[in-house]
Structures are given as structure tokens and as C-alpha cells.
Amino acid sequence: MDRSASASIPSSTAGAPLYSFPIPSFSLQGKNLSSLFTALVIIVSLLVLEQAVYRYKKKHLPGAKWTIPLIGKFADSMSPSLEGYIKQWNSGDLSAVSVFNIFIVMASSNEYARKILNSPTYAEPCLVHSMKQILRADNWVFLAGKAHVDYRRGLNALFTRKALGIYIDIQESICRKHLSRWLATTEKTPAPIPIMMIARHLNMETSLGVFCGPYIPEEAANEINTKYWDITLSLELVNFPLALPGTKVYKAIQARKVAMYWLEQAAHKSKIAMAEGGEPACMLDEWVTTLKDPNYKGRREFSDLEMAMVIFSFLFASQDAMSSGLIYGFQHLADHPEVYSKVKEEQDRVRQGNFSKPLTLEMLDQMTYLQAAVKESMRVMPPVLMVPYKATRAFPITDNYNVPAGSMIIPSFYNSLHDPEVYPDPKSFLPERWLDPEGSANANPKNYLVFGAGPHRCIGLEYAQTNICLVLATAIAMMDWEHDVTPKSKLVEIIATVFPKDGCRLFLKRRAD
């Protein structure tokens, strides 16, 4: 029987039919089936190719044998946990994951972390996938090679001991203002207060005060502080890539525009003030003055926009990491009364009972136990767990494995900072380990990756350490505190960096003596 696709009525029965009914077009259905089959073949082929490419890139590295089609480990990246990261790091010195077809190599050992940080020929910092949209692609932090080295060399003068001495009065005055507010709040309503957001506000105003001095009005500092949280929330490892209205990346870009507006104004005002013979009172002033020094060797002209981008990059580097360091500094001291007592005794000795006397760098130099406690706090709970890099070419990280070009490669710092051979009893908070110059902690500086390593090592590490010490020293001079321990106190929240899950709630009271 001829089962033709036309389904016409035989001629022997031709004539006017008594009734009619729609006859399905088997020819059209066949075309649809063919198109559907072709589409399915293409989809299946792409999925198979995706798995094959993943397996080819992964090779022998630990990690899932197969990746979830299209999204990979996206669900895990949406709710990251420290425990999850530790499990990944412990699976091997190098391990692999894929998120939205972005192939990622995780490096957990000190050897490989340092190799990545010190290999600008093969890898460059990319932070997160959307970072160039947020910071601007023309920001100096994205420079590489000699261009980056030369630019950075010109900024080193902003963090000399002389410069830090200029900043310290600004830091202390802003710190005392905010701590007084904390005490006023708790005295009005005696209850534990969560310090995560108020510590971030303190840190933001301090940074803006140090960087921009009197050229940033308080209302601008408040606006930048409020908007900056959108930047923090956008710093997920993988985000929706398009900056469409309502997305985290879009909100972060709008927040950056607000900050950049005020920072450009500050740069312009600083240039005018220094041209009129003013004395340097902040980082911008110090920068403008340095550029006029006849002995200065380097680029001498920077537009207001360029200076604003540099200051914004410092703000970006300091805000989340330093806020985390501050919060854990408060919590670690509260959780270890014996350490708290020693820090308090040291403050009494150095200040000689005068708790209103302005701090100096020389006074902070004498607070060796406080410095050890801060250093240990950042080791136990590093403000930055890892810094994503991008392989700019095939990276021969081992003798038998090349990280594919275009892949993300992420050195983690946690395992280096918790190496039991360098830091015996690594989970314990023991400031004393830093007081012995011959001890294993001081003898292995390569393990202390809190501020990274290599050409992109944190340029403001002395400023960051000084500021955390100053805030804690000032807090002990003004008040006592206890940690309101909750079931979530030992949990952490990973956003741009690591914060206590419940924001660290403290009981505060004004120091009696």
C-alpha cells in the first residue's frame, strides 16, 4: 500500500462529498519531526562536547567526573560555605570545578598558591568575572608586567612611615567618634549590638578620611558607605554577566559611579589646596605634594579621574577585608579573656594611665602583644580566603598539568595559614606564637599569605595592620566588651570576604577607669 504523505481521496470515489472533515497534513508533521530530531541531535552533541571539553581540561585533577550540564557548580557558588571550600581544598593540592562553562582550577597548597601569585607571565588577577565592569577596565589594578610595576612604584610613597604618621590622627579621631556612638546606643538600650555593619561604617569613614581628608563631606561618606554594600554583594565568584537593571552587577556599577563622583571632586580640591601652599593632611595631599618634589622620579601628571580610580581601588581593597579583620579582632579578643587581659595590661602600660592622649606610631610600636594578637586573628580567620586569577596562556603549573588558557585559577590562603608544621595547633588563637623571633611562625613568612604575595601583594598592608591595631587599642581605652555567643557564632558568611554569620554581637560598656 502506498502510504503517500498527500493522503488524497482516490479517484474512484471522486465527487462531491456528503460532508467534509479536516485531514491532517502528514507531510508538515514529518518536517516538524525532522526539525525536532535535528535540534535534539545538536543539543545532545553540544552536551556531549561540554562533558568532553570538561574532562579534557580536568585530566587527572580531583573534582566531579562529570559537570552538571550548562550550570556546573552554580548552585554551590550561590551559597558558598567555608566548610565547602575546605572540602574542595583538601581534595588535592590542585582540583577542578566548572561553573557556567567557566573552568576553574583551585590551588590549595602553599607551593601552588605562591607559584600563581608570582607568575604574571601566565596569570593575571581577575578577582571575579564581572570585576572589570565594576572597577572599570582602565583601572590601574588590571595593568600587567612593567606597566603595573612602574605604576605601583609611583604609589609606594603613599604608604611610607612618614605618610602613615600623617594618617594616624585622622584614624583615631574618626574611630573615637564612632566608638562613642556605639556606647551611646548600648547605654540607651542595654542589649548586645551586632557590629558587622557599624564596623563597616567606621572603616569606610576612616578610609575616606585618610584618603581624601576634608575634601569628602560627611554626607558623601554616608552615601558611599550605604551604596558600597551593593559592591560587596556583587562579588560572588560567578555572577549574571550582563549589567541589566536590577542585577547585582548593575547595582554595583551604580554604586561605583556615586563613589567616583565624590572622589573626583576630592582630587580636584586637593590639587587646588596644595597649589595654594597647604600642608598635606591626607593621602591625596601627600600624593600631589610627592608629584611636585624635584627628586621624585616617575609620572608627574594624573587627571582627577585617574586619581579617583586609584583611591577607589584602595577603598575596594580595604573596605571588606579590613572590616572583616576588625570584626574578628573584636570577637577573638572577647572569646579569649586571657588574651584580652594581656592586651588591656599592655595598653595601661604604654598609655601610662592617660587614655585620652593621642596615639602615635611610636606608641603603636610598643604594643607588641596587640600586634601579635591582630596578626594571629587574621591568620586564624583570614579576611581574604582566595584571590581569583585568569590564565592568560597555558600555565605549566606542574610537570604533568597545564592550566588551560582562559581558565580561572584560584590560589587559596587558608591551608597555608593553617599548616600544622608551621603553626602547631593551627585552629587555636595563640598570639604568643608571633612573639618568638625563632619560632616556626616567624621563620616561615612564605606561609603568611594574608596580604598575598608577588607583584600584586597588598600595597597598603602596613596601613591595614596599623588601622586594625589602632581601632582595637582605642576601643580598649574607651570600653570593655563581651561576646554574645549564639548558635551561629562559629559559622561564617562568605560574601566578598568572611564575616561572622550573626554579625558578631557584643555587650559594650564604658570603661570604668
Side-chain angles (χ1 to χ4, degrees), residues 110-130:
N110 184 261
E111 175 190 358
Y112 293 137
R114 292 185 65 84
K115 188 169 186 177
I116 297 164
L117 296 171
N118 286 283
S119 299
T121 303
Y122 293 102
E124 64 180 14
C126 65
L127 302 179
V128 298
H129 201 61
S130 56

Side-chain angles (χ1 to χ4, degrees), residues 53-54 56-61 93-97 102-108 112-113 115-116 119 121-124 126 388-411:
V53 169
Y54 168 74
Y56 175 76
K57 290 181 176 180
K58 175 182 173 295
K59 298 189 185 302
H60 61 275
L61 296 187
D93 290 349
L94 296 173
S95 59
V97 295
I102 300 171
F103 185 73
I104 303 170
V105 175
M106 307 285 280
S108 63
Y112 293 137
K115 188 169 186 177
I116 297 164
S119 299
T121 303
Y122 293 102
E124 64 180 14
C126 65
Y389 275 62
K390 180 180 179 180
T392 54
R393 60 169 75 178
F395 186 172
I397 194 166
T398 72
D399 293 337
N400 60 355
Y401 184 74
N402 289 354
V403 178
S407 304
M408 289 183 75
I409 178 167
I410 306 179

Side-chain angles (χ1 to χ4, degrees), residues 229-446:
W229 185 242
D230 286 333
I231 296 177
T232 300
L233 294 178
S234 73
L235 299 179
E236 296 167 339
L237 186 58
V238 179
N239 236 320
F240 185 75
L242 302 179
L244 300 178
T247 63
K248 291 180 180 180
V249 174
Y250 175 85
K251 292 178 181 178
I253 292 172
Q254 304 313 305
R256 180 253 295 161
K257 290 178 179 179
V258 169
M260 286 291 294
Y261 169 79
W262 290 111
L263 296 178
E264 282 190 72
Q265 296 294 314
H268 184 70
K269 293 175 183 177
S270 174
K271 289 177 180 178
I272 294 174
M274 294 303 98
E276 294 175 347
E279 288 294 320
C282 65
M283 182 178 287
L284 278 172
D285 290 347
E286 183 71 8
W287 192 0
V288 173
T289 303
T290 299
L291 296 177
K292 292 181 178 180
D293 188 337
N295 296 318
Y296 172 72
K297 296 180 181 180
R299 181 179 168 191
R300 292 181 176 271
E301 295 295 330
F302 290 86
S303 68
D304 295 344
L305 174 61
E306 287 177 302
M307 297 186 87
M309 279 198 289
V310 169
I311 296 301
F312 184 74
S313 72
F314 291 166
L315 193 66
F316 172 80
S318 67
Q319 178 59 9
D320 287 311
M322 201 152 65
S323 295
S324 176
L326 280 175
I327 294 163
Y328 271 110
F330 276 103
Q331 182 167 314
H332 281 137
L333 290 183
D335 288 344
H336 299 84
E338 72 288 353
V339 174
Y340 183 93
S341 295
K342 291 180 181 180
V343 172
K344 190 173 182 179
E345 290 169 6
E346 182 178 70
Q347 290 299 305
D348 294 348
R349 174 177 53 80
V350 172
R351 294 173 182 270
Q352 298 180 337
N354 185 354
F355 298 112
S356 60
K357 182 180 179 180
L359 281 172
T360 63
L361 286 179
E362 290 70 27
M363 291 172 67
L364 286 171
D365 288 342
Q366 297 176 53
M367 300 174 187
T368 54
Y369 193 78
L370 173 60
Q371 291 176 28
V374 168
K375 194 166 186 177
E376 178 71 350
S377 178
M378 291 192 288
R379 182 199 67 80
V380 173
M381 188 52 68
V384 178
L385 289 174
M386 52 195 169
V387 177
Y389 275 62
K390 180 180 179 180
T392 54
R393 60 169 75 178
F395 186 172
I397 194 166
T398 72
D399 293 337
N400 60 355
Y401 184 74
N402 289 354
V403 178
S407 304
M408 289 183 75
I409 178 167
I410 306 179
S412 81
F413 307 150
Y414 190 88
N415 283 6
S416 293
L417 294 164
H418 289 77
D419 184 343
E421 293 186 9
V422 177
Y423 309 109
D425 193 10
K427 292 185 179 180
S428 295
F429 178 68
L430 303 171
E432 285 75 12
R433 72 172 85 243
W434 298 104
L435 300 179
D436 180 5
E438 306 300 323
S440 61
N442 285 309
N444 292 278
K446 65 182 177 61

Side-chain angles (χ1 to χ4, degrees), residues 23-61:
I23 301 174
S25 173
F26 289 99
S27 61
L28 182 60
Q29 185 175 4
K31 290 179 181 177
N32 285 344
L33 285 173
S34 177
S35 299
L36 179 60
F37 178 76
T38 301
L40 287 174
V41 168
I42 293 173
I43 291 172
V44 171
S45 298
L46 289 175
L47 293 176
V48 171
L49 178 63
E50 176 188 36
Q51 301 299 324
V53 169
Y54 168 74
R55 292 292 295 270
Y56 175 76
K57 290 181 176 180
K58 175 182 173 295
K59 298 189 185 302
H60 61 275
L61 296 187

